[in-house]
Amino acid sequence: MYLVYRCDCGRAVYSKEKVATKKCVCGKNLKVKERRIIAKVEDIGQASDMVRKLQEEKYGEAFFTTADKIPNKR
């Protein structure tokens, strides 16, 4: 069983149900039992899809490009 929740920075995160702490990509250590659980899912694929969906709802769809197409800000 996997739990899906948000960090204080707003990023959606998932971890196994038995995990006590998880480190977000922002650097904050999260105590899992103190977080509001958004969803409980059976496998890692579902957890990953749920996090992706939550991130797209909050920040929009991700897109990829190459470095030569990024405008120079100098």
Side-chain angles (χ1 to χ4, degrees):
M1 183 72 67
Y2 289 85
L3 305 175
V4 179
Y5 48 93
R6 287 202 184 268
C7 175
D8 294 336
C9 72
R11 179 157 184 90
V13 183
Y14 70 88
S15 64
K16 286 188 176 182
E17 191 172 28
K18 303 290 183 188
V19 172
T21 60
K22 172 80 174 183
K23 190 165 193 164
C24 180
V25 294
C26 73
K28 182 173 177 132
N29 287 317
L30 305 170
K31 292 181 181 175
V32 176
K33 66 181 178 180
E34 294 178 0
R35 307 308 305 178
R36 184 175 60 92
I37 305 303
I38 297 171
K40 287 185 179 182
V41 293
E42 289 297 320
D43 64 8
I44 196 165
Q46 291 175 329
S48 179
D49 290 342
M50 178 66 74
V51 167
R52 188 177 303 112
K53 180 179 152 243
L54 291 169
Q55 287 300 104
E56 286 177 358
E57 285 175 3
K58 186 163 183 148
Y59 299 110
E61 190 172 344
F63 68 94
F64 298 95
T65 187
T66 57
D68 62 339
K69 293 179 185 169
I70 298 174
N72 191 354
K73 293 190 178 190
R74 288 188 194 185

